[in-house]
Amino acid sequence: AGILGLLPGALVGGMLADRYGRKRILIASVALFGLFSLATAISWDFSSLVFARLMTGVGLGAALPNLIALTSEAAGPRFRGTAVSLMYCGVPIGAALAAALGFSGLASAWQTVFWVGGVIPLLLVPLLMRWLPESQVYTQQTQVAAAPLRALFAPATASATLLLWLCYFFTLLVVYMLINWLPMLLVGQGFRASQAAGVMFSLQIGAACGTLLLGALMDKLTPLRMSLLIYSGILASLLALGSASSLTGMLLAGFVAGLFATGGQSVLYALAPLFYPAAIRATGVGTAVAVGRLGAMSGPLLAGKMLALGTGTVGVMAASAPGIVLAGVAVFWLMHRQQRAAMV
């Protein structure tokens, strides 16, 4: 339900931001997922729990395209890739802290994580209202697109929109397959639950490092080298996760998987704003994020189906390989196109 809520949240949040401003919608989104994270902790039956998770996802989904648009517009063309990656590294760092809270024993009750995840965002709301500036690019624009969704498929943006959707779908398919199934796969391979939590912590630390490293390299490497680095790294980490037998090897494989899978995801977030004018930028990013959420829902389903067929961990990792190759080709095409546009 949480992942499902991210889809309409990203789509609607991006469209509202192009109409009413990034800051206003971002603050409303943070308040929304903070409130419903608290509602998760106090849910009284299954229906209330599902609804709380759905609305938490809506808030999180609406926040992301606004964060990306606001950061990219504040940083400007020269530092956009680094700035968006630096902003996004907060996501895996937060996930690593949640994992640490889990295996440290501080969150013996499952509600603890949701209390923390609800109170802190609500404390941030007045700080955002006071000190977060609105995007100058947004405030200076003279015209808002009347039909922003239709504008995504105008001749100048249609091919970029479709390629971005392809990249987002398959990259998030792998990321969420790892997040949802890796602990269970590790336990199935004979590791203890505490060891599986350690591998997930290693994956999130790798993700934080990857967002910073790949974001900094985005403006320095050629499109071919960048796409080869990201997606060959993802394929290598999937192979390692499927074949490593020692805890040390699995910790290293988890770190590399986070480095390239989530780090590559941050590069996509930095790439998307480059292809849209300010009037439809948040809508363009929001729709790409929404399509990525379809991949995020498909990844766990694909892994479950492969395990039901008896393929084991290796089969799960191999099933996602063709999509990663397609995403790598699409990223190369997008980065090459952007590089040519910057030279004109």
Side-chain angles (χ1 to χ4, degrees):
I3 296 174
L4 180 64
L6 291 166
L7 196 157
L11 183 61
V12 175
M15 295 173 63
L16 290 175
D18 282 332
R19 184 172 295 273
Y20 299 110
R22 284 81 163 103
K23 177 179 177 177
R24 188 179 301 175
I25 304 303
L26 176 60
I27 291 172
S29 303
V30 172
L32 184 67
F33 72 71
L35 286 170
F36 279 98
S37 182
L38 296 180
T40 300
I42 61 173
S43 55
W44 54 90
D45 58 17
F46 181 71
S47 298
S48 63
L49 177 62
V50 169
F51 181 72
R53 300 311 302 144
L54 179 71
M55 295 305 296
T56 304
V58 170
L60 287 167
L64 190 54
N66 284 283
L67 283 167
I68 295 168
L70 196 57
T71 304
S72 65
E73 290 170 356
R78 184 178 178 186
F79 300 107
R80 184 169 285 147
T82 303
V84 173
S85 297
L86 186 63
M87 175 277 295
Y88 189 74
C89 78
V91 174
I93 289 173
L97 290 173
L101 195 64
F103 66 71
S104 67
L106 296 175
S108 55
W110 64 266
Q111 292 94 335
T112 303
V113 174
F114 296 102
W115 283 115
V116 174
V119 170
I120 294 178
L122 293 177
L123 291 176
L124 283 174
V125 167
L127 303 181
L128 294 173
M129 294 173 67
R130 175 65 179 84
W131 283 296
L132 180 69
E134 178 58 277
S135 165
Q136 292 299 306
V137 176
Y138 170 79
T139 56
Q140 291 169 6
Q141 70 181 20
T142 57
Q143 183 179 2
V144 177
L149 284 177
R150 188 181 304 169
L152 300 182
F153 294 96
T157 55
S159 60
T161 295
L162 293 174
L163 287 170
L164 283 168
W165 288 7
L166 180 67
C167 299
Y168 273 65
F169 181 89
F170 284 110
T171 304
L172 268 74
L173 181 148
V174 170
V175 169
Y176 276 82
M177 182 185 71
L178 292 174
I179 291 172
N180 284 273
W181 279 98
L182 187 56
M184 190 176 294
L185 292 172
L186 292 172
V187 172
Q189 288 175 262
F191 293 97
R192 296 193 305 273
S194 60
Q195 293 175 322
V199 174
M200 291 302 296
F201 180 77
S202 176
L203 185 144
Q204 297 296 355
I205 294 298
C209 295
T211 56
L212 296 174
L213 176 63
L214 296 176
L217 291 175
M218 182 179 172
D219 301 321
K220 296 179 174 62
L221 296 182
T222 64
L224 179 60
R225 289 178 178 175
M226 193 68 190
S227 53
L228 279 174
L229 174 65
I230 293 171
Y231 288 95
S232 61
I234 293 176
L235 287 171
S237 65
L238 292 177
L239 179 63
L241 286 170
S243 58
S245 55
S246 67
L247 178 60
T248 302
M250 195 61 76
L251 287 169
L252 180 60
F255 180 86
V256 174
L259 186 78
F260 289 108
T262 306
Q265 183 183 352
S266 75
V267 169
L268 294 183
Y269 290 142
L271 199 59
L274 304 179
F275 295 96
Y276 300 109
I280 60 168
R281 182 168 290 138
T283 300
V285 174
T287 53
V289 171
V291 171
R293 297 307 161 187
L294 292 175
M297 289 185 283
S298 301
L301 293 175
L302 174 65
K305 183 64 175 176
M306 297 304 296
L307 289 174
L309 293 174
T311 60
T313 305
V314 175
V316 171
M317 302 305 174
S320 60
I324 290 301
V325 173
L326 281 174
V329 173
V331 166
F332 164 70
W333 190 275
L334 284 166
M335 295 189 71
H336 181 65
R337 172 176 166 173
Q338 180 58 29
Q339 191 176 69
R340 282 192 307 170
M343 293 173 62
V344 173

